[in-house]
Amino acid sequence: MARMFRVLGFFTLMIGLMAFAGDMMEMALLFFLQTAFFVLLGYLKFTEKTYILIFWGYMIVTFTGFSYWTVFKMGLPF
C-alpha cells in the first residue's frame, strides 16, 4: 500500500511539471506540494488501514475544495 502513495507522488510530479511548463505556476505549486506529501507518506511505515483512512481523508478534502471552487469561485453558467 505504501508503494501506491509513491506512485501517486510520481503522477502528481508529472502533472506539476506539465503545469510548470505551461506557465501555470499556482497549479504547479499545488501539485509539487501534493508530490511531497505523497512521497513522504510512501516512506512511512503505516498499516494498510491507516493508509486507506489517509487516502479517504485526502479525497474528501480534495473533492470538497474542488466543488467549492467550481461553484462559488468560478460561478455557474446559468
Side-chain angles (χ1 to χ4, degrees), residues 7-74:
V7 170
L8 284 170
F10 171 76
F11 283 115
T12 55
L13 177 64
M14 293 300 112
I15 293 169
L17 288 173
M18 287 186 285
F20 184 74
D23 282 337
M24 294 182 273
M25 295 303 164
E26 294 86 4
M27 180 180 167
L29 180 61
L30 179 66
F31 275 89
F32 290 149
L33 290 173
Q34 289 182 45
T35 298
F37 175 71
F38 285 140
V39 170
L40 175 71
L41 281 176
Y43 284 104
L44 296 175
K45 302 289 186 198
F46 289 138
T47 63
E48 186 172 347
K49 183 177 180 178
T50 304
Y51 278 121
I52 290 172
L53 289 173
I54 290 171
F55 183 71
W56 273 103
Y58 167 78
M59 294 303 286
I60 289 169
V61 168
T62 301
F63 286 134
T64 302
F66 179 77
S67 298
Y68 170 80
W69 186 266
T70 55
V71 172
F72 296 112
K73 296 292 184 179
M74 290 178 65

